[in-house]
């Protein structure tokens, strides 16, 4: 059994590097989906396409009772990779900078092992290979297309470079915040850079708004609130000697709940409108909701956390990372629909795997594949007798 397990993990690690070298953006995961489906075919695991590039597969489908679902996301990011690894992305401007290659490979490793012991599963198991997590609502579309049909509970995870290797953060409530974006356009009066008094400078107004927005959290929202406002882009101008007619500003918010989202969006609009007016500039503001907070269900979170602890010891529980994480996840859609839990699992083993997600220097820690695969298999119902010692 030990050799079979090792062969499975080695296969998954090679597959992970293959996926890493050929990343695809959200809703463009055609080749990734084809690879996943071909692997399922080889294993004689039935599947169907879901939400175009997504795939839903079944094990022990005819068993009685509701299924347990395990999810892995597949999409990459529009980033130019700078890792210099042998398996670096060959697709310019596209990179697996969040570890979804590892999540997919881990779920396939889980599929291979569960298939060998399918008759020992106590209930049906659904494997969800999900596209478009990176801001494009893939989970929502998978649910619309029936991914959760006859599913009673669901589990997922994300590698987390800020946590020590093998440490799990899986609280009984909120684990990751909700998010949204905002964009603004400032319309002023352009002119010569030597005569700013004859202009209404939209860049100056945008700069003032940027500073003012930083005061919402602490001055209008309590500093204890789990909230962030980040301005990430300011654009304007075409030449060094020209004050432009327009400028744009955009950014992101992170919130723990929808009440806080509503307050922050209202205050962003007020700050932008009145600050711009003070500079003789008009502003228009657009808010876009992305994901709600990822909130675990207590029973499932406790089970997932205690199972991980039983496998990897007391030291594997998170005691240092402040929660919730301010990043966001569309796994929230699943947890709004059915009970389940989402975990962050540390990848920092002192070997360079502490580079944050979404960095051009990030790479997934392949050591996680074996540990998470074992955890997934036991979440699905396999006992110690069906796993190597």
């Amino acid at each position: 059994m030990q050799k079979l397990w090792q062969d499975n993990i080695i296969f998954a690690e090679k597959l992970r590097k293959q996926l890493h070298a050929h990343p695809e953006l959200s809703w463009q995961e055609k080749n990734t989906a084809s690879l996943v489906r071909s692997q399922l075919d080889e294993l004689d695991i039935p599947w169907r396409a879901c939400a175009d590039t997504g795939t839903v597969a079944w094990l022990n489908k005819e068993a009685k009772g509701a299924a347990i679902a395990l999810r892995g996301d597949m999409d990459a990011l529009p980033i130019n990779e700078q890792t210099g690894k042998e398996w670096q992305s060959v697709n310019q401007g596209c990179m697996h900078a969040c570890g979804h290659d590892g999540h997919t490979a881990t779920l396939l490793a889980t599929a291979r092992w569960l298939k060998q012991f399918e008759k020992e599963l106590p209930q049906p198991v659904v494997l969800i290979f999900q596209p478009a997590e990176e801001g494009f609502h893939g989970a929502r579309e998978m649910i619309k297309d029936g991914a959760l049909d006859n599913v009673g509970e669901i589990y997922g995870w994300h590698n987390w470079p800020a946590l020590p290797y093998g440490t799990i953060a899986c609280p009984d409530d909120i684990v990751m915040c909700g998010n949204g974006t905002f964009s603004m356009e400032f319309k002023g009066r352009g002119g010569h850079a030597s005569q700013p008094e004859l202009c209404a400078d939209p860049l100056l107004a945008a700069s003032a708004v940027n500073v003012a927005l930083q005061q919402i959290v602490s001055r209008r929202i309590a500093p204890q609130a789990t909230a962030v406002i980040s301005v990430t882009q300011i654009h304007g101008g075409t030449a060094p000697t020209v004050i432009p007619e327009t400028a744009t500003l955009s950014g992101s918010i992170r919130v723990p709940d929808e009440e806080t989202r509503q307050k922050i969006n209202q205050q962003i609009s007020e700050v932008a409108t009145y600050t711009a007016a003070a500079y003789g500039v008009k502003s228009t503001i657009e808010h876009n909701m992305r994901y709600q907070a990822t909130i675990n269900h207590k029973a499932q979170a406790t089970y997932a956390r205690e199972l991980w602890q039983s496998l990897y010891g007391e030291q594997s529980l998170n005691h240092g990372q402040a929660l919730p994480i301010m990043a966001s996840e569309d796994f929230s859609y699943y947890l709004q629909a059915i009970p389940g839990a989402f975990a962050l699992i540390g990848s920092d083993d002192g070997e360079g795997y502490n580079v944050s997600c979404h960095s051009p220097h990030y790479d997934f820690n392949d050591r996680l594949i074996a540990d998470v695969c074992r955890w997934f298999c036991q979440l699905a119902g396999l006992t110690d007798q069906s796993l190597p010692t």
Side-chain angles (χ1 to χ4, degrees):
M1 184 182 289
Q2 185 67 38
K3 185 177 186 307
L4 282 174
W5 177 262
Q6 290 175 345
D7 288 346
N8 184 34
I9 299 306
I10 290 171
F11 177 85
E13 291 174 355
K14 290 180 178 178
L15 189 69
R16 200 283 297 183
K17 292 179 173 66
Q18 180 181 347
L19 289 166
H20 189 93
H22 300 89
E24 295 173 298
L25 298 176
S26 299
W27 296 125
Q28 299 176 28
E29 309 94 336
K30 301 291 186 183
N31 293 327
T32 304
S34 178
L35 187 150
V36 166
R37 294 164 184 174
S38 67
Q39 290 297 315
L40 294 171
D41 284 339
E42 286 185 19
L43 295 168
D44 196 27
I45 295 175
W47 59 268
R48 73 169 179 89
C50 185
D52 190 20
T53 53
T55 302
V56 175
W58 301 272
L59 289 152
N60 201 25
K61 188 176 182 179
E62 303 306 319
K64 295 181 180 179
I68 287 179
L70 305 172
R71 177 267 214 166
D73 42 13
M74 305 186 297
D75 55 329
L77 287 156
I79 295 173
N80 283 315
E81 183 167 352
Q82 299 177 37
T83 62
K85 300 286 181 70
E86 291 180 17
W87 49 90
Q88 178 165 307
S89 172
V90 299
N91 298 336
Q92 184 70 15
C94 186
M95 174 190 175
H96 270 299
C98 208
H100 297 185
D101 50 341
H103 301 166
T104 300
T106 300
L107 191 55
L108 282 170
T110 302
R112 288 171 65 88
W113 196 258
L114 291 179
K115 182 62 180 179
Q116 295 182 68
F117 297 93
E118 186 172 15
K119 293 181 180 179
E120 298 180 23
L121 293 170
Q123 74 285 304
V125 175
V126 171
L127 307 175
I128 297 177
F129 295 88
Q130 183 207 303
E133 187 281 325
E134 294 288 357
F136 290 88
H137 306 277
R140 181 187 67 192
E141 300 309 306
M142 294 287 283
I143 293 170
K144 285 182 181 179
D145 200 9
L148 296 183
D149 290 355
N150 195 42
V151 174
E153 56 188 55
I154 186 169
Y155 296 92
W157 73 292
H158 204 292
N159 74 99
W160 205 249
L163 285 172
Y165 181 84
T167 302
I168 189 171
C170 186
D172 292 341
D173 45 26
I174 179 172
V175 60
M176 300 180 81
C177 281
N179 67 342
T181 60
F182 57 89
S183 57
M184 306 174 186
E185 183 178 31
F186 300 93
K187 293 185 178 181
R189 185 171 61 255
H192 202 287
S194 67
Q195 297 175 299
E197 73 280 6
L198 301 180
C199 304
D201 190 343
L203 279 174
L204 185 60
S207 299
V209 168
N210 179 21
V211 173
L213 291 176
Q214 311 309 316
Q215 300 169 47
I216 290 177
V217 178
S218 80
R219 294 302 186 269
R220 309 214 29 209
I221 298 286
Q224 294 90 350
T226 308
V228 170
I229 301 173
S230 293
V231 173
T232 55
Q233 296 183 79
I234 298 179
H235 298 289
T238 57
T241 59
V242 177
I243 292 174
E245 289 273 321
T246 63
T248 60
L249 177 151
S250 61
S252 173
I253 65 170
R254 306 289 162 152
V255 295
D257 52 55
E258 295 312 293
E259 181 181 357
T260 304
R261 182 194 302 276
Q262 185 176 358
K263 288 180 180 178
I264 284 182
N265 283 344
Q266 179 181 344
Q267 291 164 10
I268 287 173
S269 295
E270 291 175 358
V271 165
T273 299
Y274 294 118
T275 302
Y279 290 85
V281 172
K282 293 182 178 180
S283 64
T284 56
I285 304 99
E286 180 179 335
H287 298 279
N288 292 296
M289 177 178 167
R290 297 185 80 175
Y291 301 150
Q292 292 188 22
T294 303
I295 302 174
N296 284 338
H297 295 253
K298 183 176 181 180
Q300 285 72 27
T302 300
Y303 175 61
R305 187 174 61 247
E306 291 181 351
L307 177 56
W308 185 271
Q309 181 185 2
S310 72
L311 291 171
Y312 304 117
E314 170 67 25
Q315 72 279 3
S316 67
L317 297 182
N318 170 51
H319 297 293
Q321 175 68 57
L323 296 173
I325 296 292
M326 303 309 293
S328 305
E329 241 287 346
D330 81 341
F331 199 85
S332 58
Y333 285 113
Y334 299 119
L335 296 180
Q336 290 164 36
I338 61 172
F342 189 78
L344 303 171
I345 300 178
S347 62
D348 181 11
D349 60 1
E351 299 295 328
Y353 293 101
N354 60 346
V355 177
S356 68
C357 296
H358 293 210
S359 164
H361 304 286
Y362 165 90
D363 192 23
F364 179 83
N365 189 341
D366 285 334
R367 283 183 60 195
L368 287 168
I369 294 176
D371 289 348
V372 176
C373 180
R374 181 185 293 269
W375 180 61
F376 262 3
C377 286
Q378 295 211 289
L379 284 172
L382 288 190
T383 63
D384 291 339
Q385 287 70 37
S386 302
L387 290 159
T389 56

